[in-house]
Every structure is written in structure tokens, then in C-alpha cells.
């Protein structure tokens, strides 16, 4: 990182570039089925923080990867994240009306189109991952397969997005142990964040030991992200969050503040970030941005 470049400026610049790529990687509203493409674009091209794609880029760049080479994977991961938000907001799941500061996909387009828009984003993501190329513009099949495997596993059922969502639903209104709470957070939120960091390393050609460090760092910031999210759910307004606050409490969900209180939750998030920074400092690369993103994760207000 150039000394004058703050993490906020880095994230804002990369988010803008991600938005431009997402725009071209998502089918136009003019192409049939227009309603579906409108719904996909409505949810995807809104105002997300783009944290996961930024992590792909920051991790890959730290290891010498180029932004153009990293961008398809960065955008594919954002598409999967967006699918999970659309489905999570459905009446059968969290039943939310507000996402990224506007009506949720099913509120704007109806449930059937929202389900299909989520499905379509997930499917398109894997098509995009299968387009990863070398810097010279040749298909890079070895990286495609490794990245697809990593991302599919993180979006899947074992210690991963869907598995975590199931555990989250099953444990509503129950007293959960620390281990279960951590399993839910690690899987539902942490797995895709960890995978974002690892994928950046894979595309940049990191060594196995570097990938291991990225994975350890990613696991910690992924868990810290969800602990911070739980805290924000209790302490923020809907204007700050762009979604309905207090939903976890209302649904009697298993959260860090519900089980440990706010001060202990803040201390846990802080500890995870300190560990992540210590681990990533040993990468033998310029990890200033990755360290700053770890801090941003617990200092953010939305
Ligand atoms: C439906 C398979 C399936 C999974 C849903 C992502 C998810 C699992 C649920 C979303 C609900 C939620 C509050 C999850 C916790 C953390 C999280 C993923 C928050 C949203 O991510 P941000 O803050 O959102 O990065 P933006 O809008 O900035 O992209």
C-alpha cells in the first residue's frame, strides 16, 4: 500500500471498480427474461459494501496478482453473497422488507422472481468463475477448478453458508452453547469471507503455506465480522444499517450479545482481529491493506 492511501480510499476505489465489472457481468434488462434480469440487477447493483470482492482483490494484490485477473472471482463471490441475502430476506426465512436501504427483492418483484433471481445469481457466479484467465488472456483451467471447488465448498453445507443458515434457523428460540454459536457464525458468514481471502491467494499464485495463512486470517476476520454484525443489530438504526435492526432479538436468534453481552462481544471481536493481524503479518508480503481491513470489520458502522 502506498503510504498516502488510506484503507477507506482503497476500499472505495475497489468498490467502484467492482460495481463497473458487476454491471457488465450481469445480463442486461433488455435480454429476456427481462423481469428476472431486472430483479438480479436491482439486488446486485445496489449499495453493498463489496467487502468480499474487496478481500479477493486485497489478498490477491498483496501477493502480486493483477486486478483484472482477480476481478471475475471477486464479482462471482459478490453474486453468491447477494443470492444469499435475497433468499435470507424471503418470508420463509428472515422475512425482511428492507435491504441495502431499499425494499427487499421479493417486496419489489414478488417471491417467485426473488427466488429465481437468487438462483440465477448463484448459477451465473459459477459461469463467471469458469472464465478465470491468465494475465495473457488464456483460460486458466487449473485455477478455475481450484477456485470453483473452494467457493462451492464455502457456499455449501459443511461448515459453510447453507449449513450455517440451517443451524441458525434450527436454533432460534433455543439456549445455544458457545460452540454452537461459533459454528453458526463461522459457517453462515465466516466461510464465504475466508474463501474470498483464499481465492485471492490462489489466483495470485500463492504458495501452500501462504494460502494457509490467508485461510487462518480469513477465518478470524469472518467470525469477527459476524460478532460485529450482531453488535450492530443491537446498537444501530435502520438508516445506518440499510436493513431492519433488532431482528435478531425479535426472532430470539443465537447472537454474541444475547449470550455474552455487548462488552464481552466487543472484546471477542477485538481479540479475533488482533489474531488475524498477527497471522497476516507473517505473510512476507505487503499486508498493510489486509491489516487495515481487519480493523475496518469491527470499526464499521453499517
Ligand atoms: C439463504 C443460503 C442462505 C444463506 C443466508 C447471508 C445470510 C445467510 C444471511 C444474511 C443475514 C445476515 C444478517 C447475515 C449475517 C452477516 C451478513 C452476511 C451481513 C450482510 O453482509 P454485508 O454487511 O452486506 O457485507 P452488504 O449489503 O454490505 O453486502
Amino acid at each position: 500500500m502506498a503510504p498516502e492511501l488510506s484503507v477507506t480510499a482503497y476500499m472505495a476505489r475497489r468498490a467502484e471498480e467492482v460495481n463497473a465489472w458487476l454491471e457488465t457481468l450481469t445480463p442486461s434488462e433488455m435480454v429476456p427474461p427481462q423481469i428476472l434480469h431486472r430483479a438480479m440487477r436491482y439486488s446486485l447493483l445496489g449499495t453493498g459494501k463489496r467487502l468480499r470482492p474487496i478481500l479477493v482483490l486485497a489478498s490477491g494484490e498483496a501477493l502480486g496478482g493483477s486486478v483484472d485477473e482477480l476481478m471475475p472471482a471477486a464479482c462471482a463471490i459478490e453474486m453468491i453473497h447477494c443470492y444469499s441475502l435475497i433468499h435470507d430476506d424471503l418470508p420463509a426465512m428472515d422475512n425482511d422488507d428492507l435491504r441495502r436501504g431499499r425494499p427487499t427483492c421479493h417486496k419489489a418483484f414478488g417471491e417467485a422472481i426473488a427466488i429465481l433471481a437468487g438462483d440465477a445469481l448463484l448459477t451465473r457466479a459459477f459461469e463467471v468463475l469458469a472464465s478465470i484467465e491468465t494475465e495473457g488472456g488464456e483460460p486458466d483451467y487449473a485455477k478455475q477448478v481450484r477456485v470453483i471447488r473452494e467457493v462451492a465448498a464455502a457456499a455449501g453445507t459443511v461448515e459453510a453458508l447453507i449449513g450455517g443458515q440451517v443451524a441458525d434457523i434450527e436454533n432460534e428460540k433455543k439456549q445455544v452453547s458457545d460452540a454452537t454459536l461459533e459454528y453458526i457464525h463461522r459457517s453462515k458468514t465466516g466461510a464465504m469471507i475466508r474463501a474470498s481471502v483464499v481465492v485471492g491467494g490462489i489466483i495470485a499464485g500463492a504458495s501452500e503455506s501462504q494460502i494457509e495463512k490467508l485461510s487462518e486470517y480469513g477465518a478470524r476476520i469472518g467470525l469477527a465480522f459476524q460478532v460485529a454484525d450482531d453488535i450492530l443489530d443491537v446498537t444501530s438504526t435502520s438508516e445506518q444499517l440499510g436493513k431492519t435492526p433488532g431482528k435478531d432479538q425479535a426472532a430470539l436468534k443465537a447472537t454474541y450479545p444475547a449470550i455474552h453481552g455487548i462488552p464481552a462481544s466487543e472484546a471477542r471481536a477485538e481479540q479475533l482481529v488482533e489474531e488475524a493481524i498477527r497471522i497476516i503479518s507473517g505473510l512476507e508480503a505487503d499486508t498493510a491493506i489486509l491489516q487495515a481491513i481487519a480493523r475496518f470489520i469491527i470499526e464499521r458502522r453499517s
Side-chain angles (χ1 to χ4, degrees):
M1 172 172 63
E4 71 280 4
L5 185 62
S6 75
V7 67
T8 337
Y10 174 86
M11 291 181 76
R13 196 174 75 202
R14 290 289 177 251
E16 243 178 68
E17 291 163 0
V18 166
N19 288 340
W21 274 72
L22 286 173
E23 170 72 44
T24 61
L25 287 171
T26 314
S28 151
E29 310 194 353
M30 311 303 281
V31 174
Q34 284 95 337
I35 181 74
L36 186 76
H37 293 148
R38 248 200 333 273
M40 289 164 75
R41 297 176 70 87
Y42 171 86
S43 291
L44 184 65
L45 307 178
T47 57
K49 290 183 289 297
R50 311 303 188 206
L51 173 69
R52 294 150 193 82
I54 289 170
L55 281 169
V56 174
L57 300 171
S59 149
E61 284 184 274
L63 289 154
S66 78
V67 170
D68 282 0
E69 213 186 351
L70 293 158
M71 206 48 106
C75 290
I77 287 178
E78 182 67 14
M79 287 176 188
I80 295 174
H81 169 59
C82 183
Y83 123 76
S84 78
L85 297 179
I86 294 174
H87 282 195
D88 184 66
D89 289 334
L90 288 167
M93 295 214 207
D94 249 16
N95 192 20
D96 218 320
D97 295 350
L98 194 63
R99 171 67 65 185
R100 293 177 166 172
R102 6 189 229 172
T104 45
C105 194
H106 68 274
K107 282 281 157 194
F109 294 91
E111 273 184 59
I113 293 298
I115 292 168
L116 291 166
D119 294 341
L121 284 167
L122 177 62
T123 310
R124 175 71 183 138
F126 285 95
E127 192 183 353
V128 171
L129 288 177
S131 73
I132 293 172
E133 293 178 341
T134 62
E135 268 202 281
E138 295 297 318
D140 196 331
Y141 298 120
K143 281 184 189 167
Q144 287 172 15
V145 171
R146 186 153 181 201
V147 168
I148 286 171
R149 188 173 170 183
E150 190 69 43
V151 174
T157 57
V158 181
E159 300 259 337
L161 177 67
I162 297 172
Q165 178 77 346
V166 172
D168 194 21
I169 292 168
E170 282 189 323
N171 283 290
E172 273 177 23
K173 304 187 179 62
K174 286 190 190 158
Q175 284 281 63
V176 302
S177 65
D178 246 10
T180 304
L181 178 65
E182 192 159 316
Y183 163 79
I184 294 171
H185 283 20
R186 201 170 60 229
S187 308
K188 184 179 85 168
T189 311
M192 286 298 293
I193 291 180
R194 191 196 65 80
S196 304
V197 179
V198 167
V199 159
I202 294 171
I203 294 173
S207 68
E208 292 310 315
S209 81
Q210 286 173 322
I211 289 175
E212 187 49 39
K213 285 201 176 76
L214 291 172
S215 173
E216 292 286 322
Y217 159 89
R220 280 162 181 80
I221 62 164
L223 188 52
F225 181 90
Q226 184 59 61
V227 177
D229 210 71
D230 285 358
I231 297 170
L232 286 171
D233 186 67
V234 185
T235 57
S236 293
T237 63
S238 65
E239 288 72 32
Q240 284 170 312
L241 289 183
K243 61 182 182 182
T244 319
K247 294 269 306 184
D248 295 341
Q249 255 174 324
L252 299 177
K253 286 224 180 197
T255 68
Y256 265 86
I259 294 178
H260 299 287
I262 302 250
S265 303
E266 284 173 346
R268 176 74 175 128
E270 179 73 36
Q271 180 202 9
L272 286 162
V273 163
E274 291 306 326
E275 284 174 18
I277 290 174
R278 184 178 44 74
I279 291 164
I280 208 66
S281 306
L283 195 65
E284 288 166 5
D286 183 354
T287 60
I289 285 283
L290 289 171
Q291 295 184 40
I293 293 176
R295 290 243 132 259
F296 161 84
I297 276 175
I298 56 167
E299 285 165 5
R300 71 203 163 96
R301 287 287 153 258
S302 69

